[in-house]
Amino acid sequence: WNTDLKDNLIALHVGEVALASQAAYDGLYAISATQLGRFAVGTLGQVFKTQGAAAPIFEDLIKNYCNAFESTGVQTVLSGATDVLTLAGEDEDSNAMHSTVTNTNRITIPTGYGGRYLAIGRSLIQWGASDAVAYLHLRKNTTTRVRARADAHTLNEYTDLVVMDFIAMAAGDYFSLAGEAGVNSVSFGSASASDATRLIVLGPLAV
């Protein structure tokens, strides 16, 4: 007879009073050196998260998401300028992160939801001059985090610019896109929703 096993069985038996009730698919964890506790199963799609010395929990893998786009058409940036790109429409907004009325260029982190976010920006460039240069900026607040560049080759052709970042954000911080015309004027976006300037934000991610 294994003494350790015998002693542990006795200890577990003493601790079973902590399991007052349970439901299907609930789980067990040690709440002390001699007692077991129960954690309730999460809702569909949630992930199990350990918290060090605190009780484990289930939480959403992605708590907030927003998919905003410029629904009014092309935005032209003049040569040598860098302009914030507006996002007047939205496909999804889970937690009032974006407004189609005020500061439409921003996707803002909600109160109580700081953490690491994934942001992906995209804009279609139409070349109006053969020597044009375009940049698409992904910004945290007013600071450019990532910048993508494209150079024109043929008039009236198109180029897709994509930028992305994974970064810690605090409540009240916001993501935005800006277009820069390095040489000659550049047209960003399209009147078509499928080709429009678009910004997608997901988070905070459980990492």
Side-chain angles (χ1 to χ4, degrees), residues 164-183:
M164 65 179 66
D165 198 10
F166 182 56
I167 181 177
M169 302 285 283
D173 286 343
Y174 61 88
F175 289 103
S176 64
L177 296 174
E180 177 184 354
V183 179

Side-chain angles (χ1 to χ4, degrees), residues 150-192:
D151 295 77
H153 297 289
T154 306
L155 294 182
N156 300 319
E157 288 196 349
Y158 297 86
T159 301
D160 261 318
L161 284 178
V162 177
V163 287
M164 65 179 66
D165 198 10
F166 182 56
I167 181 177
M169 302 285 283
D173 286 343
Y174 61 88
F175 289 103
S176 64
L177 296 174
E180 177 184 354
V183 179
N184 286 311
S185 299
V186 175
S187 296
F188 290 81
S190 168
S192 168

Side-chain angles (χ1 to χ4, degrees), residues 60-101:
D60 295 325
L61 179 62
I62 299 174
K63 298 183 178 67
N64 302 299
Y65 49 89
C66 184
N67 185 345
F69 64 96
E70 178 46 50
S71 59
T72 63
V74 172
Q75 299 175 83
T76 299
V77 178
L78 300 180
S79 178
T82 301
D83 296 338
V84 170
L85 301 179
T86 56
L87 304 165
E90 57 187 32
D91 284 334
E92 293 186 277
D93 185 3
S94 67
N95 198 6
M97 302 173 73
H98 174 255
S99 170
T100 59
V101 178

Side-chain angles (χ1 to χ4, degrees), residues 2 19 29-30 40 42 49 60 74 77 83 100 104 117 121-122 125 140 154 179 204 206-207:
N2 187 307
L19 306 178
Y29 71 102
K49 180 180 180 180
D60 295 325
V74 172
V77 178
D83 296 338
T100 59
T104 63
Y117 282 76
R122 179 257 188 174
I125 310 301
K140 174 184 177 180
T154 306
V207 296

